Amino acid sequence: MRKLFIIAAMALGLFAVGCDDDFTPPAQLSTSFYDTYPNAVDVEWEWKRGRKYRVAEFKQNGVECEAWYTKSDEWILTEYKIRYSELPEAVRTSFEQGYGAQTPVDSVYRIERSKGDVYYTIECEVIVNGFYTDIYLTYSADGTLEREWVEVENDDYLYYWL
């Protein structure tokens, strides 16, 4: 019984440590957020990238979204999860020519930035050198590949440019 209690206490401690990045936003940020996203539901706030950004994860009209803000509450970008079929034709064509129409796509995102530009990120999972690898490809709306990077899933997350 004592072992069970110790294991439960350790698990609770790990859970509490894992939740350290969650927070309640200041009133001004919360008001600004709901003014911009009045239909937002299931809103959860957390710090990301070493507490550099405040991020609201939420759903709006059934779509998974993330709104990113600076520490000074300035909006940077919003990411909307979309279907592959919702990508602009130029982006789909560029992806299929570069990576093949048979490449398995995990997730697709439309990213609106504060500068007014829009990007699309396609996340694929492939096997590279025996490891499951997530490849992230970011395109501009005209189909230009702007950035590509990989994340190797072998308990050592490696980020680098291809």
Side-chain angles (χ1 to χ4, degrees):
M1 183 70 167
R2 183 169 185 229
K3 277 186 181 181
L4 182 60
F5 176 75
I6 291 171
I7 291 171
M10 288 174 54
L12 183 60
L14 288 174
F15 175 76
V17 169
C19 295
D20 281 350
D21 290 337
D22 294 343
F23 75 99
T24 301
Q28 179 180 341
L29 177 56
S30 184
T31 300
S32 174
F33 172 78
Y34 282 107
D35 285 347
T36 306
Y37 307 101
N39 299 322
V41 295
D42 301 330
V43 180
E44 294 181 12
W45 287 90
E46 65 181 329
W47 288 101
K48 288 201 178 178
R49 303 239 172 126
R51 293 187 173 251
K52 186 174 180 181
Y53 300 103
R54 299 174 184 203
V55 179
E57 294 178 354
F58 62 101
K59 288 185 182 177
Q60 180 168 273
N61 303 322
V63 176
E64 293 178 28
C65 308
E66 285 188 359
W68 289 60
Y69 298 85
T70 64
K71 284 183 178 181
S72 58
D73 302 339
E74 178 186 346
W75 174 73
I76 299 172
L77 65 86
T78 300
E79 177 183 277
Y80 302 90
K81 189 168 187 177
I82 64 172
R83 288 186 227 97
Y84 184 80
S85 62
E86 295 177 278
L87 285 169
E89 187 175 334
V91 175
R92 285 195 317 266
T93 299
S94 182
F95 170 72
E96 291 171 5
Q97 287 176 349
Y99 287 86
Q102 302 304 315
T103 302
V105 174
D106 280 347
S107 300
V108 179
Y109 302 94
R110 181 177 192 273
I111 301 164
E112 296 176 358
R113 295 184 0 156
S114 60
K115 298 176 184 177
D117 43 5
V118 175
Y119 291 94
Y120 298 88
T121 297
I122 301 172
E123 177 186 343
C124 313
E125 186 172 83
V126 296
I127 297 176
V128 176
N129 295 329
F131 295 105
Y132 280 103
T133 305
D134 289 327
I135 298 177
Y136 298 87
L137 308 163
T138 300
Y139 295 88
S140 58
D142 67 2
T144 302
L145 181 61
E146 301 289 340
R147 184 175 183 207
E148 52 189 331
W149 71 99
V150 300
E151 175 182 278
V152 180
E153 296 180 14
N154 65 347
D155 295 331
D156 283 334
Y157 290 95
L158 305 173
Y159 299 89
Y160 56 90
W161 292 90
L162 294 175

